[in-house]
Amino acid sequence: MSWTNERVELLKKLWSDGLSASQIAGELGGVTRNAVIGKVHRLGLSGRAKTSNSSAKPRRPRTSTASPGNSPKRAPQQPQSIGATALKADIDQAPVVAVKPNLERLPELVVPISQRASILTLTERTCKWPIGDPATDDFYFCGRQSDAGVPYCAHHCKIAYQPVADRRRERKSIARAS
DNA sequence: CCCTGATTCGC
DNA sequence: GCGAATCAGG
């Protein structure tokens, strides 16, 4: 992929919109976030918000990576984990909205504020399990680490994708208890 | 580990 | 000019 005018314009727009380089790379397609960052710099539009005062960055010289003689051959683009992709496919089929069972009985774990995510900070690998009431300020997403392509952290995956049989059994035992 | 942008330098 | 590799930092 080359940097056509259209792609450059889109890059400029998304960058000024505050999207991260990796997000922009995803939008554009066919480029890595490194390519995006490189282009941003060449365009001279780096450094949006984040003034980061001490702009003097001593940058160490690169430790020479390959001997000058042999052709280094870039590593192939990592094709995204097959396992994660497969799992994502499964999950996409799962009745995500329908689950979240017995929340009253399952004490919601407390997520440290620093890890909580808002709709704006969710990424491919942050847990998107909603906590609290969306209609109030007391609402956030779990935001902890999740595997690539998996929408929830390990804890919430357990809850969300608990086998139906288990849930039925659990529901029965709850009914029995009450 | 995950992520972010910044920089270098072979191509 | 391009962007992978690498760096520094959160």
Side-chain angles (χ1 to χ4, degrees):
Chain A
M1 267 301 196
S2 59
W3 286 107
T4 62
N5 283 333
E6 281 190 355
R7 289 163 65 78
V8 172
E9 288 308 309
L10 183 53
L11 165 62
K12 287 180 183 173
K13 178 186 182 300
L14 296 177
W15 183 258
S16 60
D17 281 352
L19 294 194
S20 70
S22 59
Q23 287 176 311
I24 296 173
E27 292 287 324
L28 290 170
V31 287
T32 64
R33 76 176 194 95
N34 274 323
V36 168
I37 292 172
K39 187 60 178 176
V40 162
H41 277 251
R42 262 172 264 125
L43 290 172
L45 41 75
S46 69
R48 26 177 196 196
K50 268 301 180 349
T51 310
S52 154
N53 43 46
S54 60
S55 46
K57 294 168 192 135
R59 303 266 98 225
R60 305 218 279 71
R62 279 219 285 165
T63 61
S64 57
T65 52
S67 43
N70 50 18
S71 54
K73 275 302 170 222
R74 303 300 188 194
Q77 298 291 64
Q78 58 172 357
Q80 188 182 39
S81 155
I82 296 175
T85 303
L87 180 53
K88 178 174 168 50
D90 287 345
I91 288 175
D92 284 345
Q93 301 303 315
V96 174
V97 179
V99 294
K100 194 170 184 177
N102 311 320
L103 211 51
E104 308 79 38
R105 309 190 86 265
L106 298 173
E108 186 58 81
L109 84 174
V110 176
V111 179
I113 293 177
S114 62
Q115 290 183 17
R116 297 177 186 183
S118 75
I119 189 71
L120 296 178
T121 58
L122 288 175
T123 73
E124 278 296 317
R125 30 180 25 114
T126 51
C127 178
K128 300 167 186 63
W129 187 267
I131 299 174
D133 186 352
T136 71
D137 289 339
D138 185 22
F139 174 78
Y140 56 92
F141 293 97
C142 170
R144 293 180 301 175
Q145 201 74 46
S146 69
D147 291 336
V150 178
Y152 304 126
C153 66
H155 172 85
H156 287 124
C157 270
K158 273 187 189 169
I159 299 176
Y161 306 122
Q162 186 180 27
V164 173
D166 287 359
R167 267 187 270 140
R168 288 215 185 99
R169 198 177 311 121
E170 189 173 319
R171 210 169 298 140
K172 279 185 182 175
S173 67
I174 292 169
R176 226 181 297 120
S178 62

